[in-house]
Amino acid sequence: MKFKGCGTLVMTFICIWNFTSSSICTKWGHMCKDDRTLIHCAKHNNRWVESVYQQCDANFRCNKVTNSCVPNYPVGVRFDCESDGLFPDPYQCATYYVCYWDGGALHKIFARCPNGQRFSPVSSRCSVEEFELTTCQRNFNCEYPGQVSVWPRNRNIYYICAMNNDHSLYPKVFRCSDEMIFNGTECVDRRSECYGFEER
Ligand SMILES: *[C@@H]1O[C@H](CO)[C@@H](O)[C@H](O)[C@H]1NC(C)=O
């Protein structure tokens, strides 16, 4: 088909472009660009582009799991029994908790290892080796409420970060059934994963 006499059709595309092309975007949606910057990623003309939509306020940080600005929550000191068994004290190394069922309720005993020993999360006993092997450091990391993690060095134990009334975060510590390990989402049969107590 010919358009005789139509002259030249000039098409003009006008782009109002407030995105910049991105080297870090890999999928649509929002993500943390760095500790303080939340961006939105989109693909246009086969190119990833990003636009900043939030700079986290002071005392907030961009969380790479939730992809949102979360406050720098203080750490609350609290331990509740959530299931039965022996639990490392989340805040100290030479103490532990014994949680047991009695009369339809969970009860809690706070216990201390003998001098020169620490509670080993691996063996769930007080041990001299643990005292000699490890420096005492906090074994959990709570950055936002609802964060779920496996306990360091014992995948039979996991925790969920919960919030106190004063907005501090503390770990609710659980144990999987014997022979089960926490795979990051749920307790699964140890044999379905490679054997061991290694960290993720
Ligand atoms: C955990 O195990 C469940 C059930 O086997 C599986 O569906 C899920 O993908 C696993 N999660 C991870 C993070 O491996």
Side-chain angles (χ1 to χ4, degrees):
M1 227 184 195
K2 286 193 173 173
F3 291 98
K4 259 187 188 161
C6 281
T8 313
L9 183 64
V10 178
M11 293 181 74
T12 310
F13 290 94
I14 298 171
C15 292
I16 302 188
W17 202 253
N18 55 10
F19 292 102
T20 52
S21 74
S22 173
S23 57
I24 59 169
C25 289
T26 51
K27 61 181 183 3
W28 283 80
H30 52 296
M31 68 176 285
C32 294
K33 182 173 189 178
D34 54 45
D35 272 3
R36 304 298 307 277
T37 315
L38 199 53
I39 60 171
H40 187 271
C41 294
K43 209 168 197 178
H44 289 286
N45 299 328
N46 234 8
R47 266 183 5 155
W48 284 111
V49 289
E50 65 184 62
S51 63
V52 173
Y53 78 95
Q54 189 178 356
Q55 294 285 355
C56 301
D57 288 341
N59 291 324
F60 281 65
R61 225 161 353 125
C62 201
N63 185 285
K64 290 190 161 63
V65 178
T66 61
N67 285 310
S68 61
C69 294
V70 300
N72 296 323
Y73 292 103
V75 175
V77 178
R78 175 168 167 181
F79 183 91
D80 299 331
C81 284
E82 308 287 346
S83 48
D84 60 348
L86 300 181
F87 293 90
D89 183 341
Y91 312 98
Q92 303 177 82
C93 295
T95 50
Y96 60 100
Y97 288 95
V98 185
C99 298
Y100 64 97
W101 287 100
D102 187 31
L106 268 174
H107 295 265
K108 175 171 80 176
I109 296 175
F110 179 62
R112 188 176 294 279
C113 294
N115 279 344
Q117 299 190 17
R118 287 201 182 116
F119 187 79
S120 162
V122 180
S123 64
S124 292
R125 290 160 190 263
C126 294
S127 89
V128 176
E129 291 75 24
E130 184 72 13
F131 188 85
E132 288 167 349
L133 273 180
T134 60
T135 53
C136 185
Q137 57 193 21
R138 200 204 294 159
N139 274 322
F140 69 95
N141 172 39
C142 279
E143 290 181 19
Y144 57 96
Q147 178 184 344
V148 181
S149 299
V150 67
W151 198 262
R153 297 162 62 211
N154 189 343
R155 299 183 67 192
N156 188 238
I157 305 175
Y158 67 98
Y159 63 97
I160 299 172
C161 299
M163 192 186 271
N164 282 308
N165 288 340
D166 66 0
H167 288 186
S168 60
L169 296 182
Y170 69 98
K172 281 182 177 292
V173 190
F174 300 82
R175 256 189 195 275
C176 299
S177 312
D178 291 351
E179 300 307 315
M180 305 273 273
I181 55 170
F182 191 72
N183 77 350
T185 314
E186 57 186 274
C187 294
V188 296
D189 199 305
R190 191 184 288 280
R191 279 159 298 185
S192 73
E193 295 231 340
C194 39
Y195 180 83
F197 289 110
E198 72 282 348
E199 287 186 53
R200 271 193 301 171

